[in-house]
Amino acid sequence: MAKLKVYNMQAQEVGQIALPEILEVEYNEPLIHEMVVAYNANQRQGTKSTLTRSEVRGHAKKPYRQKGTGNARQGSTKGPQYTGGGIVFAPKPRDFSKKVNKQARRVALLSALSEKIREGQVTVLDQFAFNAPKTKDAQNFVDAFKFEGSVLVVSKANDTNAKKSTANIPSLAIEEVGYLNVYEVVACKNLVITKEAIKSIEEAYAE
């Protein structure tokens, strides 16, 4: 059973934690890719809509006679070749969402977390809390660990002070463990997990 060091928010080591076996699974790249594709697809609104020639304002009367004008023959000013005419193959509202199997989502998340741990990109905190909503305190946390790139903090429950403290730091995000998904895990460079969050993952995903 692997162990990781536990730090406080000042980057000081305060102990160790034994990782549960569910965070030592094999890397399943195809399944993780499937979950990321599904996540991105589910973020699409699918609300774009333009008008076809049958929907644009106007009438079907010929703009001029068929022959004798020297111009190309035209049947209507609602055609796509006219300004204000209809759009060819106009995009219409559609549902881009993809259904994801619950067990597949579970395996993919544990696989992504396990790979992060093996790559040394996971930091365990004793707690992630602020006495007051201060962006400076959140920045001091990032500077203490000398993080480079994006940082995702996974906690058992997000408190108001933590949310407000991290809101103005683009590279720092916070997520409740119950809402953690595969995309967030693979997209961040540095993953920070509290001890309580690890216990919650063990309780929620243990077979």
Side-chain angles (χ1 to χ4, degrees), residues 27-68:
Y27 183 50
N28 192 330
E29 185 175 0
L31 187 57
I32 291 175
H33 176 266
E34 180 182 341
M35 295 302 108
V36 172
V37 170
Y39 175 85
N40 286 327
N42 294 339
Q43 302 308 302
R44 301 183 66 176
Q45 291 182 326
T47 56
K48 61 183 179 179
S49 179
T50 55
L51 304 180
T52 64
R53 63 182 300 162
S54 65
E55 296 171 322
V56 295
R57 186 177 181 180
H59 52 76
K61 181 181 178 181
K62 288 175 69 67
Y64 43 80
R65 66 180 187 271
Q66 180 83 342
K67 296 178 179 294

Side-chain angles (χ1 to χ4, degrees), residues 9-33:
M9 294 185 62
Q10 290 73 44
Q12 299 170 339
E13 184 178 347
V14 294
Q16 288 187 336
I17 185 173
L19 297 178
E21 293 183 0
I22 59 173
L23 293 180
E24 298 178 1
V25 300
E26 295 181 358
Y27 183 50
N28 192 330
E29 185 175 0
L31 187 57
I32 291 175
H33 176 266

Side-chain angles (χ1 to χ4, degrees), residues 130-149:
F130 299 87
N131 296 326
K134 289 185 178 181
T135 303
K136 182 178 180 180
D137 292 342
Q139 187 61 53
N140 289 339
F141 160 73
V142 176
D143 295 340
F145 283 92
K146 299 180 181 179
F147 287 129
E148 294 182 1

Side-chain angles (χ1 to χ4, degrees), residues 40-111:
N40 286 327
N42 294 339
Q43 302 308 302
R44 301 183 66 176
Q45 291 182 326
T47 56
K48 61 183 179 179
S49 179
T50 55
L51 304 180
T52 64
R53 63 182 300 162
S54 65
E55 296 171 322
V56 295
R57 186 177 181 180
H59 52 76
K61 181 181 178 181
K62 288 175 69 67
Y64 43 80
R65 66 180 187 271
Q66 180 83 342
K67 296 178 179 294
T69 65
N71 295 316
R73 54 193 176 186
Q74 302 292 337
S76 170
T77 56
K78 295 169 65 175
Q81 71 274 24
Y82 279 96
T83 300
I87 303 298
V88 180
F89 306 124
K92 292 297 181 181
R94 56 173 291 194
D95 183 12
F96 289 94
S97 64
K98 295 179 180 292
K99 292 185 178 180
V100 177
N101 181 278
K102 183 177 180 180
Q103 182 65 13
R105 182 169 60 248
R106 171 188 177 276
V107 174
L109 179 59
L110 296 179
S111 176

Side-chain angles (χ1 to χ4, degrees), residues 140-205:
N140 289 339
F141 160 73
V142 176
D143 295 340
F145 283 92
K146 299 180 181 179
F147 287 129
E148 294 182 1
S150 58
V151 181
L152 176 64
V153 179
V154 182
S155 62
K156 185 175 182 180
N158 292 348
D159 60 77
T160 303
N161 288 342
K163 289 182 178 180
K164 290 183 177 180
S165 298
T166 59
N168 291 328
I169 304 179
S171 62
L172 179 59
I174 182 171
E175 182 66 279
E176 290 186 34
V177 64
Y179 296 100
L180 185 64
N181 59 71
V182 176
Y183 176 83
E184 291 177 318
V185 174
V186 300
C188 70
K189 178 65 175 178
N190 305 282
L191 185 64
V192 179
I193 309 179
T194 63
K195 292 194 302 182
E196 289 185 342
I198 291 179
K199 292 180 181 179
S200 295
I201 292 174
E202 182 179 13
E203 294 171 357
Y205 294 100

